[in-house]
Amino acid sequence: MYSIQEISQKTGLSAHTLRYYEKEGLIKGVERSEGGFRQYSEEDLEALGLICCLKNTGMSLKEIARFVDLTHQGEQTLRERVDMLRAHRERVIGRMNEMRTHLDKVTWKLNFFTEKLKDYEDRQDGALPR
């Protein structure tokens, strides 16, 4: 079992965010110690890993909550979960392709301006008295 501080360190999520995720139903059934402190399990840590992955790849918290709800409903929701992940994957691929296009343009501009800078510096070196 992990404390909220340990989970925060392992996931990079603040304690506030962890409590918010629990309140919003993204994390369900977090156990409590006798003193009332949250105690996270390995399964909670794994679930948080997926939540962070989905969020970091652009899935909304509302969609993630829906996915979590479906997961807790059992195997009869497997088709819907697969469909959700398939659609999300396609959106991520689309954004990656778009980012590759942007990266290509940035790289082209970097090369263009690097060459201009080299020419400029070569001219300056030739203009300086020796």
Side-chain angles (χ1 to χ4, degrees):
M1 299 303 270
Y2 302 101
S3 70
I4 198 166
Q5 292 83 11
E6 291 169 323
I7 288 291
S8 181
Q9 288 175 338
K10 288 181 177 292
T11 63
L13 298 170
S14 69
H16 173 78
T17 298
L18 290 165
R19 288 189 293 272
Y20 176 76
Y21 283 3
E22 188 176 345
K23 183 181 131 219
E24 293 299 311
L26 300 177
I27 311 166
K28 296 180 185 256
V30 174
E31 293 185 28
R32 300 284 182 137
S33 69
E34 288 183 20
F37 296 104
R38 288 172 175 82
Q39 294 184 311
Y40 294 88
S41 66
E42 283 294 329
E43 292 80 22
D44 296 326
L45 182 59
E46 189 174 319
L48 283 164
L50 178 59
I51 290 165
C52 289
C53 172
L54 295 174
K55 183 177 178 294
N56 290 336
T57 55
M59 187 178 278
S60 72
L61 291 181
K62 183 179 178 181
E63 290 174 299
I64 295 169
R66 174 74 179 136
F67 186 85
V68 170
D69 283 342
L70 290 170
T71 300
H72 286 280
Q73 290 176 32
E75 289 185 344
Q76 67 271 17
T77 66
L78 281 169
R79 170 61 52 209
E80 191 171 351
R81 285 183 276 161
V82 166
D83 291 345
M84 282 183 77
L85 290 175
R86 186 172 285 129
H88 181 65
R89 181 179 183 276
E90 291 305 312
R91 288 190 303 270
V92 171
I93 289 170
R95 283 196 307 278
M96 287 175 63
N97 289 336
E98 184 179 334
M99 290 302 289
R100 244 184 240 108
T101 299
H102 295 317
L103 178 60
D104 289 347
K105 185 166 189 160
V106 168
T107 300
W108 187 90
K109 284 293 187 180
L110 174 61
N111 292 337
F112 176 81
F113 286 117
T114 298
E115 191 60 37
K116 285 200 140 318
L117 174 62
K118 183 181 174 303
D119 291 345
Y120 172 78
E121 288 173 340
D122 287 347
R123 286 194 314 275
Q124 294 302 311
D125 287 344
L128 294 176
R130 300 201 182 221

